[in-house]
Amino acid sequence: MKLERILDKLSSIEKNSFIKIIDNIISKSKAKSKEIEKILAPDNKGLKTVDNLNISKIFDLTADEFTEYLKCEFQEVNSQLDILIDIIIRDGNCIMRQDWFSRLYEAEIKVLNAKIKALSAEFKDEKSELSAERKRDYRIYQACLSTAFFNDVANNREAKITSDELSIIITLSRELGLSQEEIKLINYSILGVKKLDVQEVITHLKNIGVIFYSKKENTIFVADEMVRLLRKVRKKEVADKFYRRTLKLLREPIINTISKNHNLDRKLPYSQKIESIIHAGISFTDLLLDDIYKEGTTLTDKKKALNELCEKGLEIPNLRGSTLNEKIESLIQYFEAVEKDEKVGISVDGYDKLLTDLHQSIPTLNKAIKEHFELQDEFVLDAEFLLDYNIKPRDILDLIEKPDLDKFKKDHGVKLRGDDILNILEHYKDVENLYLENYENVGYRNYNQLKENGIQIRESELGVKFEELTKIIFKGLGFNVDDKFRQELNTQKDLMDILINLGNNEVIIVECKTSKESGYNKFSTVSRQLKSYQNIALKNNLRIVKILLVAPEFSDDFVTDCEMDVDMNLSLLTASTLLSIYEAFKNSKYMTFPHVLFRDVVINQERIVKALSK
């Protein structure tokens, strides 16, 4: 769930710890001060008075500083922060009731203690599958960590790992090629691990700004933006779902080699071995730099293999970068962009239909998804519910075994030739809803993002499509979009985009503008155009209730010029605001949108959404 939505659910007291940390970062950060001041400028009363959307924007601006702040928290060796973060960054754990979090935490401690015991036994067992080289790596790391921790005790000081010691230990672990799981096991074999009081754990995580806790709902929330930040802190470059998608393209002998190199059980079934690699926290970069190739593979062949993996397996053509490292970084950035994108590849309605049909063909799927994502609710195959957890259609399909996918395709008439998952997603694509979900991208003429989200359209058609979608939205708001009357009024020179007929000779004129630039800024051109439409309407004895200009965004100069214009009753409406109003209207008590709410120069989304919810 996005940070803004979580903040909307909470009281000011429940947000307080997070706000304090951001406030402290702002006071120390000079690099971002101008951008932050621009957001705070309208009120200039500090962060507590800023709306939740702008708090979210400020968090994005201060993400690097927040990351550094959390790295300092890791120096508190008894905080168990690594264990706790590993729980809350797993796919499906961003929303948890307190009792469920308590169970997950308790289970994690039990598993960790069992693994520490097993590792200690392997150290002593001469017949262990651990190679002599790997045992040596473990001992080197263990000895260095032990020295860093216990040298304080020897000097009659509190046992603590300083930031300098920590940076050396992190460098050592990287050079030894240790996974996060291996590091964690060795760390706690020295420090010891015991279960802490769960309420203390929640309070600690809340106080350092990592989670939010709603007393009213007795629920922990971890924002999507925070999950991405925490993964970076834990050196996990991609989400588990993207790691899984990549691993599933590898043959079993390669998976076995990776497992052997990191002391993982090779006797497990193929899918379980993949999960153990993911949970081990093996570096995604290291995996694609070395682990997936045969010994002795040349750099040229590695690049060729990676290109093939991306183009044929992941369906990502033209991976950027000339070196192997640059290509891997491009792939990580691609996965980050897919994760940040709120669009789901198919419409929400299409997602719900897909889940209904999957449940029909694979009755065990609900239980499998519930267990895999550690979800507390009994029935989880619901699109809105899963999207709150940032679980998209592709993430569900990636978990289904090939025989079950084949059965599902036959049951529901999905095309059999070609890529199974892409064929299924195409089959459940609801084009009109998919376009509406991408309304802002159409307005921005963001051709590449539209293509990525499964929309095939010529760039030259985007202006007309934006106008069509705006009509659909206004019709959805209950208005009479009167194309026949509009055509009667239009001349060869002056062509209105949309005319809303309110009856009794009253109309609303709507003009649509797409723009690739950041901020629509051509007021002089558009004002002449709108005044000519106004004159046509007045000549036909029509009362113009409102003129609306819809665009992806407006520059500050454009807004100022609009405010100074006294000849037109003009309001500016961004694409994102119009779409939010439409979504709020669908759940409101109104049959037709009360157009009197269109009274600002720049239409205020928050005010209108609040009015519709009453």
Side-chain angles (χ1 to χ4, degrees), residues 405-421:
L405 276 182
D406 290 341
K407 179 182 183 302
F408 173 74
K409 287 190 301 175
K410 287 177 185 175
D411 287 350
H412 298 282
V414 178
K415 189 169 73 174
L416 299 176
R417 294 185 66 183
D419 185 278
D420 290 342
I421 290 174

Side-chain angles (χ1 to χ4, degrees), residues 354-368:
L354 169 63
L355 291 169
T356 301
D357 290 350
L358 282 168
H359 185 52
Q360 182 185 337
S361 290
I362 314 167
T364 57
L365 184 65
N366 182 68
K367 186 184 177 187

Side-chain angles (χ1 to χ4, degrees), residues 69-87:
Y69 150 75
L70 281 179
K71 285 178 181 175
C72 293
E73 291 293 324
F74 265 88
Q75 291 176 50
E76 181 58 55
V77 291
N78 294 317
S79 68
Q80 298 186 357
L81 204 50
D82 49 357
I83 299 171
L84 299 168
I85 286 178
D86 285 349
I87 294 171

Side-chain angles (χ1 to χ4, degrees), residues 596-610:
V596 292
L597 293 174
F598 287 143
R599 59 174 176 260
D600 311 303
V601 173
V602 180
I603 300 299
N604 186 312
Q605 173 185 319
E606 193 174 343
R607 178 180 61 78
I608 292 179
V609 169
K610 197 176 286 184

Side-chain angles (χ1 to χ4, degrees), residues 65 89 140 182 208 217 275 284 306 356 364 374 392 402 432 492 496 504 520 548 560 591:
E65 290 82 357
I89 64 174
I140 290 170
E182 289 169 310
I208 63 171
E217 298 182 33
E275 295 306 318
F284 187 69
L306 183 60
T356 301
T364 57
E374 297 180 328
K392 298 176 184 177
K402 181 82 166 85
E432 184 175 293
Q492 283 187 333
M496 296 180 215
N504 299 319
Y520 193 73
L548 292 170
T560 302
M591 298 299 292

Side-chain angles (χ1 to χ4, degrees), residues 316-563:
I316 308 169
N318 306 318
L319 193 68
R320 289 181 291 108
S322 53
T323 68
L324 192 61
N325 282 88
E326 285 172 354
K327 286 180 181 294
I328 294 167
E329 183 56 35
S330 293
L331 179 57
I332 291 168
Q333 288 172 4
Y334 169 83
F335 282 143
E336 281 178 359
V338 172
E339 187 182 14
K340 285 178 185 176
D341 186 17
E342 293 182 44
K343 308 302 178 293
V344 298
I346 60 178
S347 71
V348 176
D349 289 345
Y351 191 7
D352 258 328
K353 180 73 167 70
L354 169 63
L355 291 169
T356 301
D357 290 350
L358 282 168
H359 185 52
Q360 182 185 337
S361 290
I362 314 167
T364 57
L365 184 65
N366 182 68
K367 186 184 177 187
I369 296 301
K370 179 181 177 333
E371 288 176 354
H372 180 85
F373 290 111
E374 297 180 328
L375 301 169
Q376 190 169 2
D377 292 51
E378 282 308 312
F379 187 78
V380 299
L381 298 181
D382 175 85
E384 293 287 353
F385 173 83
L386 291 173
L387 288 173
D388 278 346
Y389 289 84
N390 202 17
I391 300 168
K392 298 176 184 177
R394 178 72 192 255
D395 308 329
I396 298 293
L397 295 173
D398 276 338
L399 297 172
I400 301 173
E401 299 292 342
K402 181 82 166 85
D404 285 334
L405 276 182
D406 290 341
K407 179 182 183 302
F408 173 74
K409 287 190 301 175
K410 287 177 185 175
D411 287 350
H412 298 282
V414 178
K415 189 169 73 174
L416 299 176
R417 294 185 66 183
D419 185 278
D420 290 342
I421 290 174
L422 295 182
N423 286 345
I424 291 168
L425 292 174
E426 184 65 32
H427 186 78
Y428 285 88
K429 192 183 288 181
D430 177 341
V431 177
E432 184 175 293
N433 279 329
L434 186 59
Y435 266 113
L436 283 174
E437 289 172 11
N438 283 275
Y439 179 57
E440 201 174 354
N441 281 327
V442 175
Y444 276 115
R445 306 185 73 85
N446 194 339
Y447 180 73
N448 289 335
Q449 191 61 62
L450 290 167
K451 192 175 177 184
E452 178 61 42
N453 291 342
I455 289 176
Q456 300 296 325
I457 188 172
R458 291 191 183 93
E459 196 170 359
S460 58
E461 296 170 352
L462 289 172
V464 174
K465 178 55 72 175
F466 188 64
E467 186 182 316
E468 285 175 10
L469 293 172
T470 307
K471 280 184 185 178
I472 289 168
I473 292 171
F474 276 108
K475 285 177 183 176
L477 291 171
F479 288 120
N480 175 16
V481 177
D482 198 335
D483 282 336
K484 187 178 178 183
F485 192 26
R486 176 178 61 86
Q487 287 165 4
E488 288 172 9
L489 293 174
N490 278 349
T491 66
Q492 283 187 333
K493 184 182 174 185
D494 299 312
L495 300 167
M496 296 180 215
D497 286 343
I498 298 170
L499 185 76
I500 295 171
N501 191 343
L502 300 173
N504 299 319
N505 288 332
E506 292 184 336
V507 296
I508 295 174
I509 296 170
V510 183
E511 182 68 13
C512 306
K513 296 293 182 187
T514 59
S515 177
K516 270 190 174 180
E517 299 167 18
S518 180
Y520 193 73
N521 56 12
K522 301 168 184 173
F523 185 78
S524 58
T525 305
V526 79
S527 65
R528 285 196 299 271
Q529 194 178 0
L530 292 174
K531 281 172 186 172
S532 67
Y533 299 160
Q534 179 177 261
N535 291 335
I536 290 170
L538 293 173
K539 281 177 187 176
N540 285 273
N541 299 315
L542 297 172
R543 177 175 171 265
I544 301 169
V545 172
K546 176 64 69 176
I547 298 175
L548 292 170
L549 179 61
V550 183
E553 64 174 293
F554 302 95
S555 69
D556 292 341
D557 288 344
F558 192 99
V559 174
T560 302
D561 290 341
C562 182
E563 287 171 338

